[in-house]
Amino acid sequence: MKRYLFVFSIVGLLFSACQGQKSGGNEMVDAVDSTQAIDTMTTSLQEEIAEDTPMPKAADELFDDFIFNFAANKKLQSSRIKFPLKVLRGEEVSYIKNGQWQMEYFFMNQDFYTLLFDSEEEMERVQESTSINHAVVEKIYLDAKTVKQFVFDRINGLWMLQEVVHMPLNESHNASFLAFYEHFSSDAEYQSKHLAETVKFVGPDPDDDFAQMEGVITPDTWEAFAPELPSGMIYNIVYGEPQKETGRKIFVLRGIANGMEIELSFKHEGGKWKLTKLVT
């Protein structure tokens, strides 16, 4: 408790000092500086608390449990990397030494992360499977058309980062869908042209907090239902060995701390991807 009180007192003093500078300088710059300083201290506090909290042994059973600990705990992260860490760029191979590694937060600095699945069965299976011993976290740069893969293996019961792989987007096992999604995520007109004749909708019932309602979305009503989709850079986690791309995809936006989840189901038919179902 003393640690919390001490840090919050410092944050309060810092904010007051920044506020006091406004009369002698640019108010907008001072406000931005104070916000950045507080954000930096908050992040430092979170990291300090995480490092003082050992990861439960059970977290190595499910990759999702492990990766959240890995991304939040600098000390744990450093201990779970096979140094020197191999980095592959095509045929070029380089290595990162322990002292050269920079903390990788993955999606922890945002409110959600994204996933891609080929079916609802796969989505349900991998989230609860303790038999998976290989996983890949992908940073997908849609604008740059590249993918950065962080390859993990569970060795003697412990998840370890084994290597980092850089590849062109067109070599990804999700290449066709990702090329489509880049356009779909940022163009409302393109979206309306890539909807199935009717899109099944499942969402919360406004009259009952514990029930869901089902219906259909037609192209002329899509605008009222269309969720805001991330673009530019998204994440994906491949559980186990990647499968060959199929004609179906489920794109999932999953909240990190707010319980939010949105699922968009797509089917490749007639030579193009179409949205067939939206679950909110």
Side-chain angles (χ1 to χ4, degrees):
M1 181 62 71
K2 290 182 179 179
R3 177 186 294 166
Y4 284 88
L5 292 175
F6 174 75
V7 174
F8 289 143
S9 296
I10 294 296
V11 171
L13 290 172
L14 176 62
F15 184 75
S16 297
C18 292
Q19 290 290 96
Q21 293 175 358
K22 286 185 179 181
S23 58
N26 186 302
E27 293 187 8
M28 181 62 72
V29 172
D30 288 341
V32 170
D33 288 346
S34 65
T35 300
Q36 290 175 341
I38 292 172
D39 286 346
T40 299
M41 293 195 70
T42 301
T43 300
S44 298
L45 173 60
Q46 291 171 339
E47 291 178 1
E48 185 178 353
I49 294 172
E51 289 186 17
D52 288 345
T53 306
M55 185 181 79
K57 292 182 178 180
D60 270 307
E61 294 183 2
L62 292 174
F63 183 75
D64 282 3
D65 292 342
F66 163 75
I67 197 62
F68 276 96
N69 282 275
F70 182 87
N73 188 324
K74 186 175 183 179
K75 186 183 297 184
L76 172 69
Q77 185 168 125
S78 180
S79 71
R80 292 301 187 91
I81 299 175
K82 182 183 177 181
F83 289 113
L85 181 65
K86 182 188 292 187
V87 180
L88 301 174
R89 288 183 173 85
E91 297 182 358
E92 179 185 342
V93 180
S94 60
Y95 293 88
I96 297 176
K97 297 179 181 179
N98 193 343
Q100 298 173 318
W101 177 257
Q102 294 185 349
M103 178 73 173
E104 175 58 66
Y105 296 97
F106 294 114
F107 34 71
M108 295 300 289
N109 290 328
Q110 59 188 43
D111 296 330
F112 65 93
Y113 61 108
T114 54
L115 297 164
L116 278 171
F117 298 100
D118 290 319
S119 66
E120 293 181 357
E121 292 75 20
E122 178 194 10
M123 182 169 61
E124 295 173 1
R125 183 178 68 253
V126 300
Q127 297 299 296
E128 302 298 331
S129 177
T130 59
S131 62
I132 293 173
N133 294 311
H134 178 81
V136 179
V137 178
E138 296 183 319
K139 272 187 171 181
I140 302 167
Y141 299 90
L142 297 170
D143 293 340
K145 294 180 172 49
T146 60
V147 179
K148 185 177 182 180
Q149 296 183 325
F150 297 81
V151 182
F152 293 85
D153 287 311
R154 186 160 56 173
I155 302 172
N156 297 324
L158 302 178
W159 283 103
M160 299 288 296
L161 176 59
Q162 297 287 90
E163 63 181 16
V164 176
V165 180
H166 297 261
M167 66 171 62
L169 186 65
N170 61 12
E171 292 183 8
S172 165
H173 63 284
N174 289 314
S176 170
F177 178 79
L178 291 172
F180 156 77
Y181 176 80
E182 178 189 8
H183 202 170
F184 186 87
S185 64
S186 57
D187 189 329
E189 184 177 351
Y190 186 82
Q191 287 181 9
S192 64
K193 293 179 179 179
H194 288 79
L195 305 176
E197 188 173 340
T198 57
V199 177
K200 183 178 180 180
F201 172 76
V202 180
D205 187 337
D207 298 323
D208 186 345
D209 293 338
F210 301 98
Q212 287 188 316
M213 58 180 293
E214 297 186 9
V216 295
I217 302 171
T218 56
D220 58 312
T221 60
W222 169 246
E223 186 176 355
F225 292 88
E228 184 176 350
L229 298 174
S231 58
M233 193 272 286
I234 60 174
Y235 286 91
N236 183 39
I237 300 177
V238 181
Y239 302 87
E241 295 298 333
Q243 305 298 313
K244 291 184 178 180
E245 189 167 32
T246 67
R248 295 181 182 274
K249 280 287 180 286
I250 301 175
F251 182 81
V252 179
L253 287 86
R254 183 166 291 164
I256 290 177
N258 55 17
M260 177 271 291
E261 181 155 321
I262 299 174
E263 300 171 13
L264 296 93
S265 298
F266 297 86
K267 183 178 180 181
H268 195 267
E269 56 184 10
K272 64 181 182 180
W273 288 97
K274 292 183 179 181
L275 178 68
T276 58
K277 183 180 180 180
L278 172 65
V279 180
T280 62

